C-alpha cells in the first residue's frame, strides 16, 4: 500500500493492521509496523494528523494548542528527533519556579510555597510507598494537604495544569508514579509541528476524515465500521483518547466490561490555552510566569513572552477550564483579560489581543486534554495495556506507566503496542521478524 488513499477512493476491504488515531501513539505504532509483507492502514477522524499535538501559525513562530514542552527532556525519546527534523530545540529553562514581578508573593513567600509543595509531594510519596508495600489504600492526593497551609489553593490551581484536575480527583499512587527528571525543553517551531513531521513517514498509509464508530470482534477477523465504509483487519491498535472509549464513541462489540471500567478509571482532565499578543511587551521579562492569585484554585497561570515573543500564553485547568470552554472561546480570553487587568492595571485591556484559543474539552475527538487516575484506580493504566484477545491493543498517553500525560509517553506506548502486535498469534503466519522495526531511526 504505497499511495495515499484520496477522499474519493474507497477503503481497502481487508488489511493486516489498522491503527486508529494519528496522534503521537498512532504515528509511532505505524512507523514501527511499516515493513514489507504487512498491510497497515492508519485511520484518523480529524482532517489533520497529530491529535492533541497541534501547532498553528507559521513555521517560525508556531503556537502549540496542545502539548508544548518536551518534559523529562534528558530522557525523552522525541528530544533527539527535533533537530533531525530540521526544527530548533530550545533549552531555555521553564518559568515555573518564579513569580514575575514578585506579584502577590515576595521572595520569602515563593520560598515558603516551594517548601510547602515539596512537603506535600513527600507526604504523597510516603503514603504511596506504604500502599505499594500493602499497607493502607490509595487515597485522593488532596488528603495529604496540610489543612493549615495557606498555599493549598495555589497548589490546587497548579494541579489543574499538572493533572487537568484538582488533587481531590487525583490518585495519590498514580501521581507519585509520574516520572519527572526536572528537565523541560521546547521546540521553537512547535511540538505539534515535530509530531506532524514525524507523521510524514506514514502519510501514504494514513486516511484522514475517517472516523471509526465500531469494532466488531465477533468473527475471526475484526470488522471496522467507519464513515467511509467497512473493512476487516487481523489486528487493531486503538490510540484514541480514553474518553472516546469510555463514552463508546468507538464501540467494541461484544463489549469488554473490564476495558470500559479501566478507561473510566483513568479519565481525561482538561487544560485550556489562550495565546495573546501584548503591546508594549518590553515591560515583561522574557519567559517568566505569573499567577495573578494565590488564594483560589479558580485562576490561571500566565507565561509571559514565551521564546521572547511579544505574547502571553494563558493556561487554565480542571473545572475552571471546563466552565469557560462551555461558554465558548471568547469566555477564555475575557477571563484572562480580567485577571491580567486586576493584577497589572486597566491598560492591559487595550494591550491584549487573542490569537488562538484551544478547546480540547469540547473537541469531539478528544473530550479532554490528558489523563489522570482517579483515587483507587492507579492500577487501571496497566489494565489498559492488556490486549483484547491478543488482537486489539490500546496505546496512548493514558496507558503510559511513568510518562503519562505526555507526547513522548504516548509515542513510547505506540511502539510498545506495535511490538506486541508483531508477536501476536494472528500475525505470526505472515513470517514477520518482530525484532526488525519499520522505523529506520530506531533500527
Amino acid at each position: 500500500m504505497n499511495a495515499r488513499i484520496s477522499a474519493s477512493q474507497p477503503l481497502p476491504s481487508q488489511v493486516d493492521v489498522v491503527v486508529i488515531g494519528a496522534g503521537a501513539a498512532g504515528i509511532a505504532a505505524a512507523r514501527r509496523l511499516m515493513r514489507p509483507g504487512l498491510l497497515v492502514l492508519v485511520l484518523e477522524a480529524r482532517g489533520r494528523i497529530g491529535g492533541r499535538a497541534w501547532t498553528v501559525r507559521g513555521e517560525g513562530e508556531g503556537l502549540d494548542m496542545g502539548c508544548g514542552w518536551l518534559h523529562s527532556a534528558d530522557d525523552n525519546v522525541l528530544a533527539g528527533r527535533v533537530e533531525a527534523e530540521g526544527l530548533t530545540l530550545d533549552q531555555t529553562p521553564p518559568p515555573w519556579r518564579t513569580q514575575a514581578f514578585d506579584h502577590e508573593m515576595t521572595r520569602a513567600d515563593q520560598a515558603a510555597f516551594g517548601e510547602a509543595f515539596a512537603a506535600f509531594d513527600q507526604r504523597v510519596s510516603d503514603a504511596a510507598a506504604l500502599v505499594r508495600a500493602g499497607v493502607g489504600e490509595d487515597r485522593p492526593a488532596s488528603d495529604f494537604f496540610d489543612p493549615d497551609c495557606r498555599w493549598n489553593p495555589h497548589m490546587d490551581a497548579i494541579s489543574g495544569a499538572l493533572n487537568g484536575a484538582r488533587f481531590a480527583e487525583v490518585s495519590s499512587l498514580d501521581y507519585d508514579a509520574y516520572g519527572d527528571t526536572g528537565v523541560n525543553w521546547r521546540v521553537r517551531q512547535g511540538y505539534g509541528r515535530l509530531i506532524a513531521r514525524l507523521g510524514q513517514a506514514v502519510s501514504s498509509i494514513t486516511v484522514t476524515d475517517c472516523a471509526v464508530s465500531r469494532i466488531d470482534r465477533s468473527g475471526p477477523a475484526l470488522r471496522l465500521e467507519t464513515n467511509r465504509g467497512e473493512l476487516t483487519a487481523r489486528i487493531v491498535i486503538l490510540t484514541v483518547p480514553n474518553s472516546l472509549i469510555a463514552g463508546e464513541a468507538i464501540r467494541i462489540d461484544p463489549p469488554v466490561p473490564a476495558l470500559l471500567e479501566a478507561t473510566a478509571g483513568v479519565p481525561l482532565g482538561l487544560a485550556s490555552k489562550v495565546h495573546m499578543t501584548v503591546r508594549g511587551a518590553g515591560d515583561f521579562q522574557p519567559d517568566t510566569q505569573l499567577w495573578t492569585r494565590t488564594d483560589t484554585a479558580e485562576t490561571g497561570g500566565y507565561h509571559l513572552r514565551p521564546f521572547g515573543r511579544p505574547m502571553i500564553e494563558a493556561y487554565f485547568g480542571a473545572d475552571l477550564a471546563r466552565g469557560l470552554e462551555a461558554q465558548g472561546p471568547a469566555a477564555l480570553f475575557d477571563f484572562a483579560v480580567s485577571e491580567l487587568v486586576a493584577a497589572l492595571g486597566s491598560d492591559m485591556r487595550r494591550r491584549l489581543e487573542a490569537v488562538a484559543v484551544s478547546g480540547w474539552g469540547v473537541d469531539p475527538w478528544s473530550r479532554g486534554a490528558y489523563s489522570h487516575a482517579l483515587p483507587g484506580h492507579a492500577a487501571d493504566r496497566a489494565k489498559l495495556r492488556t490486549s483484547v484477545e491478543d488482537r486489539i491493543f490500546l496505546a496512548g498517553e493514558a496507558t503510559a506507566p511513568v510518562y503519562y500525560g505526555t507526547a513522548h509517553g504516548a509515542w513510547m506506548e505506540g511502539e510498545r503496542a506495535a511490538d506486541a502486535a508483531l508477536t501476536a498469534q494472528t500475525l505470526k503466519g505472515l513470517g514477520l521478524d518482530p525484532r526488525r522495526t519499520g522505523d529506520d531511526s530506531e533500527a
Side-chain angles (χ1 to χ4, degrees):
M1 195 177 302
N2 297 315
R4 179 186 289 273
I5 298 173
S6 70
S8 61
Q9 289 178 298
L11 296 176
S13 61
Q14 182 177 348
V15 297
D16 295 315
V17 183
V18 169
V19 178
I20 302 176
I27 291 169
R31 286 175 62 121
R32 199 80 155 183
L33 291 166
M34 287 186 73
R35 63 193 64 213
L38 190 65
L39 293 178
V40 181
L41 189 65
V42 182
L43 302 181
E44 167 56 50
R46 292 185 173 95
R48 60 171 179 82
I49 65 172
R52 287 165 282 170
W54 181 32
T55 302
V56 299
R57 291 187 65 161
E59 286 280 334
E61 53 176 25
L63 302 178
D64 279 314
M65 305 307 295
C67 56
W69 290 88
L70 292 134
H71 293 301
S72 298
D74 53 340
D75 190 37
N76 186 314
V77 296
L78 295 176
R81 296 175 180 262
V82 176
E83 294 177 344
E85 293 296 329
L87 302 173
T88 306
L89 186 64
D90 187 286
Q91 299 184 27
T92 302
W96 307 318
R97 297 191 183 279
T98 58
Q99 170 79 330
F101 319 118
D102 298 335
H103 177 79
E104 276 209 351
M105 297 177 74
T106 65
R107 293 298 170 93
D109 284 339
Q110 293 172 48
F113 171 72
E115 291 172 3
F117 210 142
F120 164 73
D121 275 345
Q122 188 60 55
R123 290 191 294 271
V124 172
S125 183
D126 291 345
L130 289 175
V131 174
R132 295 188 187 99
V135 180
E137 60 183 15
D138 185 20
R139 294 160 56 189
S142 59
D143 283 5
F144 302 97
F145 279 155
D146 175 352
D148 298 321
C149 180
R150 63 172 285 203
W151 302 113
N152 291 343
H154 190 37
M155 287 192 278
D156 230 4
I158 290 174
S159 179
L162 294 176
N163 305 298
R166 303 293 180 233
F167 277 125
E169 301 173 81
V170 175
S171 153
S172 55
L173 195 58
D174 189 65
Y175 175 72
D176 183 64
Y178 179 72
D180 183 7
T181 69
V183 179
N184 299 276
W185 298 336
R186 289 174 292 176
V187 182
R188 178 169 288 273
Q189 297 84 357
Y191 204 160
R193 187 155 284 128
L194 170 66
I195 300 301
R197 289 198 180 182
L198 292 171
Q200 291 174 3
V202 294
S203 61
S204 65
I205 60 169
T206 300
V207 183
T208 56
D209 294 307
C210 186
V212 177
S213 57
R214 182 169 178 259
I215 304 169
D216 181 353
R217 63 184 183 95
S218 61
L222 298 168
R223 184 168 62 88
L224 284 73
E225 297 178 4
T226 84
N227 62 329
R228 293 274 301 271
E230 297 184 1
L231 73 160
T232 62
R234 296 170 183 259
I235 279 180
V236 166
I237 298 180
L238 189 54
T239 71
V240 300
N242 271 7
S243 50
L244 300 188
I245 303 171
E248 296 193 273
I250 296 180
R251 196 168 73 256
I252 300 175
D253 282 330
V256 185
L259 177 61
L260 292 173
E261 291 172 6
T263 55
V266 189
L268 264 63
L270 185 59
S272 306
K273 291 183 179 182
V274 180
H275 293 281
M276 302 169 281
T277 56
V278 58
R279 289 192 290 274
D283 293 351
F284 308 129
Q285 184 178 347
D287 281 306
T288 53
Q289 183 82 9
L290 174 67
W291 290 90
T292 63
R293 299 181 64 180
T294 60
D295 62 336
T296 177
E298 299 291 303
T299 188
Y302 299 88
H303 187 170
L304 309 180
R305 295 188 62 194
F307 298 106
R309 298 167 182 162
M311 300 192 74
I312 296 176
E313 181 180 0
Y315 206 91
F316 307 111
D319 296 339
L320 173 62
R322 290 200 184 276
L324 291 173
E325 279 199 11
Q327 299 174 55
L332 286 138
F333 175 62
D334 289 345
F335 188 88
V337 171
S338 67
E339 287 215 305
L340 290 170
V341 164
L344 302 177
S346 60
D347 68 326
M348 290 300 296
R349 191 174 303 279
R350 60 179 178 79
R351 295 171 62 182
L352 297 168
E353 183 176 347
V355 175
V357 181
S358 72
W360 298 110
V362 295
D363 184 323
W365 305 120
S366 60
R367 304 185 185 182
Y370 36 77
S371 66
H372 63 281
L374 295 174
H377 291 271
D380 285 351
R381 292 195 193 274
K383 294 176 183 177
L384 293 174
R385 292 194 294 277
T386 303
S387 71
V388 178
E389 302 172 330
D390 208 26
R391 57 181 183 158
I392 301 176
F393 300 85
L394 269 66
E397 58 83 13
T399 68
V402 175
Y403 290 132
Y404 57 81
T406 69
H408 74 285
W411 186 275
M412 295 166 69
E413 284 297 288
E415 292 186 332
R416 186 266 311 161
D419 290 343
L422 288 169
T423 60
Q425 191 65 38
T426 47
L427 292 185
K428 283 184 178 178
L430 299 179
L432 300 167
D433 183 357
R435 297 168 298 177
R436 180 185 172 191
T437 174
D439 186 340
D440 293 337
S441 65
E442 293 291 317

